[in-house]
Amino acid sequence: MSRGPDAGARLERALVANAARAGCAVTVADATWERWASVTFAGARHTLWLTGAAGHALDRWLADLPEADLVIRHGLVADLAVAGVARAGGQARITLEALTVEA
């Protein structure tokens, strides 16, 4: 029986929804994830590349993002970092790194 979308898809949806609530639209251009586990926890390490219109709303969202409380079904976002932002022609390409833990 399927549990629905995988950890990567759930994180992508949460990020897009969080950006929309902050007044900026982002699109996931690409994403990768791999399973991760420690003695106590299991989850996934994610790298995501997003695009969006450069501007004040996007800058504010990116500044607040590492402390955002992102809700994902069957887990939580344990760590989230903005690894890079490249701006050109009014557009931004954002690289995010995240660690999710299964609940």
Side-chain angles (χ1 to χ4, degrees):
M1 182 155 118
S2 174
R3 289 179 63 182
D6 62 37
R10 292 190 303 266
L11 178 59
E12 291 173 24
R13 289 178 186 170
L15 286 165
V16 170
N18 186 269
R21 283 190 298 277
C24 59
V26 295
T27 302
V28 178
D30 199 8
T32 63
W33 66 276
E34 62 184 46
R35 288 214 153 283
W36 164 89
S38 70
V39 174
T40 320
F41 300 106
R45 291 188 185 278
H46 307 260
T47 302
L48 302 101
W49 294 270
L50 293 87
T51 58
H56 182 68
L58 181 68
D59 292 341
R60 187 176 56 244
W61 177 67
L62 291 173
D64 294 342
L65 190 57
E67 299 302 318
D69 186 20
L70 297 176
V71 177
I72 59 171
R73 196 174 82 212
H74 304 300
L76 61 92
V77 180
D79 189 37
L80 179 60
V82 179
V85 180
R87 292 175 174 83
Q91 290 290 310
R93 182 165 172 91
I94 303 115
T95 304
L96 301 177
E97 294 176 348
L99 175 66
T100 56
V101 176
E102 296 172 1

